[in-house]
Amino acid sequence: MREFSTLLSHIDSSFDNFRAELSALIFPVFAHLYIQLIAEGRSLQAALFGEKFSRYVPSMYEEQTKLLTRISTHSQAVNHALVQALTKNQFVVRISKSAIKQLEPFLTRNSTVRDVMRDHLHIEAIDGSRTKSATEASLGGILGQVSKQERRHKMFYGTIKEDFSTQLGLEKKRPKIKERNDNKKKDANGPSPDRIPLPIASEKRYMKESGKKMRISVDTPPSVCLYTVLNSPGGLTASDVAEDSEALALGFGNSRIQVHALNEEKFRPYKKIDQLELIEQESEDALDQVYDDSEASTSLIFQGHNGPVYSLSFSPDKRLLLSSSRDGTVRL
């Protein structure tokens, strides 16, 4: 009991800024000295110790102090949750470096308090002294103050998934984007700018930047292709892309149908009837001889409907093309 009394006297005689910080040592030292007396079977001395010094424990630990002083036997202490928490963990106390330096001479003279602090306390040195209000605000935890290492946690940054500003009537004013004037020389033979739908300036910048992030080649073709049809007689009324994306069929308002190859291969039409009769049917390349390579082209034109073409559809093998028109006919 005398050792704890000297600790209280040392704290009380310290400077005001140190007194507030050193007061954080009172409860853990009191608790472990009380537990030590109970463990040694000195229940009477423990009761006298608790009765005399419990009032000096900071009010933030009043509830823990009452629970602790109700323990009178070793069997009660072994199964008590508060005792288990204090004995199996270190009590964290954060004190400024200057306060620790001021405490060192006292610990050299008081071995009992020094042993308790060494075995059961974790003293964490901080830069600069703390005010009384700041120290008291951090007291009250069963295992002391929060360690600096435990306060480090990951920060996750993100954006709100949905924007409710419109729903709440708080529409944000979007800043106006100044479009750049393109002073580059234009081709005299090219179409007028308003003829082809061009992206706005902000989209052009995005497309330019995104294009740098990918390398387009034969092995890695683009996943999105855009085609612009110019000089379409009667307007474009129907279109279809083959299943392997190697052919494009276009239907127009003047009843014409165009088929374009989207790769390096060309369309080969059948030979004329008089030429087909000369093919030997038993030859190995008989099927390949029915095509006329001299008339191969990257595009084909079909005529036959008497009205605008409304729908087109390739067969899976691209050998057939189904079309329907306003004239009420379907052609294959």
Coordinates of all heavy atoms in Angstrom, one line a residue, residues 20 24 60-61 91-94 130-141 143-146:
A20 N -2.0 15.6 -15.4 CA -3.1 15.0 -16.1 C -2.7 13.8 -16.9 O -3.5 12.8 -16.9 CB -3.6 16.1 -17.1
A24 N -3.3 8.8 -15.8 CA -3.8 7.6 -16.5 C -3.1 6.3 -16.0 O -3.6 5.2 -16.3 CB -3.4 7.8 -18.0
M60 N -13.7 8.0 -14.5 CA -14.0 7.2 -15.7 C -13.9 5.7 -15.5 O -14.5 4.9 -16.2 CB -13.0 7.6 -16.9 CG -13.3 9.0 -17.5 SD -12.9 10.3 -16.4 CE -11.1 10.3 -16.5
Y61 N -13.1 5.3 -14.4 CA -13.0 3.9 -14.1 C -13.7 3.5 -12.8 O -13.4 2.5 -12.2 CB -11.5 3.5 -13.9 CG -10.7 3.7 -15.2 CD1 -9.9 4.8 -15.4 CD2 -10.7 2.7 -16.2 CE1 -9.2 5.0 -16.6 CE2 -10.0 2.8 -17.3 CZ -9.2 4.0 -17.5 OH -8.5 4.1 -18.7
F91 N -2.2 -3.1 -20.6 CA -3.0 -1.8 -20.5 C -2.2 -0.7 -21.2 O -1.1 -0.4 -20.9 CB -3.2 -1.5 -19.0 CG -4.3 -0.4 -18.8 CD1 -5.6 -0.8 -18.5 CD2 -4.0 0.9 -18.9 CE1 -6.6 0.1 -18.3 CE2 -4.9 1.9 -18.6 CZ -6.2 1.5 -18.3
V92 N -2.8 -0.1 -22.2 CA -2.2 0.9 -23.0 C -2.3 2.3 -22.4 O -3.4 2.7 -22.1 CB -2.7 0.9 -24.5 CG1 -2.0 2.0 -25.3 CG2 -2.6 -0.4 -25.1
V93 N -1.2 3.0 -22.2 CA -1.2 4.3 -21.7 C -0.3 5.2 -22.6 O 0.9 4.8 -22.8 CB -0.6 4.4 -20.2 CG1 -0.6 5.8 -19.7 CG2 -1.5 3.5 -19.3
R94 N -0.9 6.3 -23.1 CA -0.1 7.2 -24.0 C 0.3 8.4 -23.2 O -0.5 9.1 -22.7 CB -1.0 7.5 -25.2 CG -1.5 6.3 -26.0 CD -2.2 6.8 -27.2 NE -1.3 7.4 -28.2 CZ -1.7 8.2 -29.2 NH1 -2.9 8.5 -29.3 NH2 -0.8 8.6 -30.0
R130 N 0.0 16.6 -23.5 CA -1.5 16.6 -23.7 C -2.2 17.4 -22.6 O -1.8 17.3 -21.4 CB -2.0 15.2 -23.8 CG -1.3 14.3 -24.8 CD -1.8 12.9 -24.7 NE -3.2 12.7 -25.1 CZ -3.8 11.6 -25.0 NH1 -3.3 10.5 -24.4 NH2 -5.1 11.5 -25.4
T131 N -3.3 18.0 -23.0 CA -4.0 18.8 -22.0 C -4.8 17.9 -21.1 O -5.0 16.7 -21.4 CB -5.0 19.8 -22.7 OG1 -5.9 19.1 -23.5 CG2 -4.2 20.8 -23.6
K132 N -5.4 18.4 -20.0 CA -6.2 17.6 -19.1 C -7.4 17.1 -19.8 O -7.8 15.9 -19.6 CB -6.5 18.4 -17.9 CG -7.3 17.6 -16.8 CD -7.6 18.5 -15.6 CE -8.4 17.7 -14.6 NZ -8.8 18.6 -13.4
S133 N -8.1 17.9 -20.5 CA -9.3 17.5 -21.2 C -9.1 16.5 -22.2 O -9.9 15.5 -22.4 CB -10.0 18.7 -21.8 OG -9.1 19.4 -22.8
A134 N -8.0 16.6 -23.0 CA -7.6 15.6 -24.0 C -7.3 14.2 -23.3 O -7.7 13.2 -23.9 CB -6.5 16.1 -24.8
T135 N -6.6 14.3 -22.2 CA -6.3 13.0 -21.5 C -7.5 12.4 -20.9 O -7.7 11.2 -21.1 CB -5.3 13.3 -20.4 OG1 -4.1 14.0 -20.9 CG2 -4.8 12.0 -19.7
E136 N -8.4 13.1 -20.3 CA -9.6 12.6 -19.7 C -10.5 12.0 -20.8 O -11.2 11.1 -20.5 CB -10.3 13.6 -18.9 CG -9.5 14.0 -17.6 CD -10.2 15.1 -16.8 OE1 -11.2 15.6 -17.3 OE2 -9.8 15.4 -15.7
A137 N -10.5 12.6 -21.9 CA -11.4 12.2 -23.0 C -11.0 10.8 -23.5 O -11.8 10.1 -24.1 CB -11.4 13.2 -24.1
S138 N -9.7 10.4 -23.3 CA -9.2 9.2 -23.8 C -9.2 8.1 -22.8 O -8.9 6.9 -23.1 CB -7.8 9.3 -24.4 OG -6.9 9.7 -23.3
L139 N -9.6 8.4 -21.6 CA -9.7 7.4 -20.5 C -11.0 6.7 -20.5 O -12.0 7.1 -21.0 CB -9.4 8.0 -19.1 CG -8.1 8.8 -19.0 CD1 -8.0 9.4 -17.6 CD2 -6.9 7.8 -19.2
G140 N -11.1 5.5 -19.8 CA -12.3 4.8 -19.6 C -12.3 3.4 -20.2 O -13.2 2.6 -19.8
G141 N -11.4 3.1 -21.1 CA -11.4 1.8 -21.7 C -10.8 0.8 -20.7 O -10.0 1.0 -19.9
L143 N -8.9 -1.7 -21.4 CA -7.5 -1.9 -21.7 C -6.8 -0.7 -22.0 O -5.7 -0.6 -22.7 CB -7.4 -2.9 -22.9 CG -8.0 -4.3 -22.6 CD1 -7.8 -5.1 -23.9 CD2 -7.3 -5.0 -21.4
G144 N -7.3 0.4 -21.4 CA -6.6 1.7 -21.6 C -7.0 2.5 -22.8 O -8.0 2.3 -23.4
Q145 N -6.0 3.3 -23.3 CA -6.3 4.1 -24.5 C -6.0 3.3 -25.8 O -5.3 2.3 -25.7 CB -5.4 5.3 -24.4 CG -5.5 6.1 -23.1 CD -4.5 7.2 -23.0 OE1 -4.3 7.9 -23.9 NE2 -3.9 7.3 -21.8
V146 N -6.5 3.8 -26.8 CA -6.3 3.1 -28.1 C -4.9 3.4 -28.6 O -4.4 4.5 -28.6 CB -7.3 3.7 -29.2 CG1 -7.1 3.0 -30.5 CG2 -8.7 3.5 -28.7

